[in-house]
Amino acid sequence: MTNESVERERRVLARIPGGAQLLSKRPEQFAPGQWPRHYSRAKGVYTWDLDGHRYVDMSTSGIGTCVLGFADDEVDSAVRDVIANGSMSTLNCIEELELAELLCELHPWADMVRYARSGGEALTIAVRLARAATGRSTVAFCGYHGWHDWYLAANLAGPSSLDGHLLPGLDPSGVPAQLAGTAFGFRYNRLDELEAIVAEHQLAAIVMEPVREHDPEPGFLPGVLELARRAGAVLIFDEVTSGLRVNTGGIHLQLGVEPDVAVFAKAIGNGYPMAAVLGRAAVLEHAQRSFVSSTYWTERIGPAAALATLRRHRANSVGTRLSAVGAAVQAGWRAAAEEVGLDVRIHGIAPLSHLRFVAQPQPSVTLFTQLMLDRGFLAGGSFYPSFAHQDEHVEQYLAAVRSVFAEIRAAQDAGSVQAALRGPVAHTGFTRLT
């Protein structure tokens, strides 16, 4: 880091708690003291930091948001058009209707749509409507669903209740103690755990990611649906991360199970804030009874960006391309690891690929990030492909991976992985920064 960068780090940590608005964008999650915190420009698969270095982004493509690539020309053009004609008015924008009709066309089981601007708040809307529709309070969940009280209430029963749901270390500080006993987690593909919750509690909703690390086992999702019906609970699919990865819409469309509500954010706006809660009228119409309303949910940029993103996504079969790029990277990881005898674990569906080093996992992945930064790549333990990733980007990346894997294997054999780091080991989960 340059002296200017070091001073900037000092300033940002003094003014912004944690140094970022999103845990997943903290440099401490990748390579503390080395991963660039700020960017000056992003286009396609490239990101420029404030010191003028250009990187090929082979990590998360904007934490899963830019499914078409950074600053996509067609989406940006649509946004510029609505800005030119006013992004906010006393009246409502017609794009809200056009987007609702398109989302219901893509998801024929759904009748109605409400909007928000982020995934966490959209999930909170969905849970509120489920509670209103059923007159109950308790929620069963599987997976990671954001920062709001309804979800973090699970950790009121114990500080590690959420640890198996993607993100460990989430302290429920500030969550009302009265919410204890309102949220219970079950593990993916463990229908027996959900059955136990249903047997003991009157559920308002079952909230889950239809796919996360791997595909559902045969009978799991149909079993969840049957339990929801038996319990009179609203089945909510969280498609904030999985949406638009394998098709134009929700991944549940390929899995053959229709929920009562599905929630989208992240990729739906290709980098512009947008979220949608779509579902059956019997649930969504409760937005007329329970107060769900916010001024900036009516601005015009989000719906315009989502319309442009969905139309471009469908016209170009983007999901098919993402799966192909992700599969190529997974195959490249395996081949490179086998070549040097490096023990790794690769998991996740192709468009949501994850890499784990078996020996010294955190020091090794930190060293991986450090060595890839040296070669001009933003890279870590996850790869979310975008439509902007071309074959040459994948080839260049995998050539660098082969070289880096060899260095990591040598460092592991010599017991010098940690000594090779130019900074601290990457954090895991939620860690307070001092």
Side-chain angles (χ1 to χ4, degrees), residues 103 107 109-110 112-114 260-262 264 276-280 284:
L103 286 168
H107 303 86
W109 58 268
M112 306 181 81
V113 183
R114 284 297 299 259
D260 299 304
V261 175
F264 295 84
V277 181
L278 56 143
R280 304 184 193 280
L284 265 290

Side-chain angles (χ1 to χ4, degrees), residues 112-116 125 129 275-278 284 287-288 292-294 297:
M112 306 181 81
V113 183
R114 284 297 299 259
Y115 301 118
I125 292 169
L129 296 183
V277 181
L278 56 143
L284 265 290
Q288 289 280 75
V292 179
S293 182
S294 184
W297 291 348

Side-chain angles (χ1 to χ4, degrees), residues 176-253:
Q178 291 84 351
L179 291 179
T182 60
F184 298 92
F186 64 98
R187 287 174 291 176
Y188 196 74
N189 279 329
R190 290 296 301 271
L191 198 60
D192 60 314
E193 294 183 355
L194 178 58
E195 288 174 336
I197 295 171
V198 168
E200 190 172 346
H201 301 280
Q202 293 289 310
L203 295 181
I206 299 171
V207 185
M208 64 176 297
E209 298 173 287
V211 167
R212 185 77 197 190
E213 302 293 336
H214 38 70
D215 290 331
E217 293 177 357
F220 174 60
L221 288 181
V224 171
L225 178 61
E226 193 277 329
L227 282 171
R229 294 290 175 267
R230 188 198 313 169
V234 175
L235 178 56
I236 300 171
F237 277 170
D238 176 352
E239 293 264 15
V240 170
T241 297
S242 56
L244 276 72
R245 303 295 168 194
V246 300
N247 57 15
T248 305
I251 199 171
H252 69 269
L253 296 172

Side-chain angles (χ1 to χ4, degrees), residues 337 339-343 357 359-360 364 367 404-418 420:
E339 186 177 306
V340 298
L342 186 63
D343 197 359
F357 296 90
Q360 302 178 70
S364 293
L367 182 57
V404 167
F405 275 14
E407 290 193 45
I408 293 173
R409 174 59 197 271
Q412 288 181 353
D413 289 347
S416 61
V417 173
Q418 194 123 1

Side-chain angles (χ1 to χ4, degrees), residues 126-162:
V127 170
R128 166 81 72 80
L129 296 183
R131 285 170 164 167
T134 61
R136 303 170 182 172
S137 299
T138 305
V139 175
F141 67 86
C142 176
Y144 172 72
H145 304 293
W147 64 274
H148 290 74
D149 286 2
W150 75 266
Y151 181 63
L152 289 188
N155 269 5
L156 291 169
S160 61
S161 297
L162 294 174

Side-chain angles (χ1 to χ4, degrees), residues 94-106:
I94 191 60
E95 288 83 2
E96 286 189 353
L97 171 60
E98 294 171 355
L99 179 58
E101 290 177 337
L102 177 55
L103 286 168
C104 290
E105 176 190 336
L106 293 169

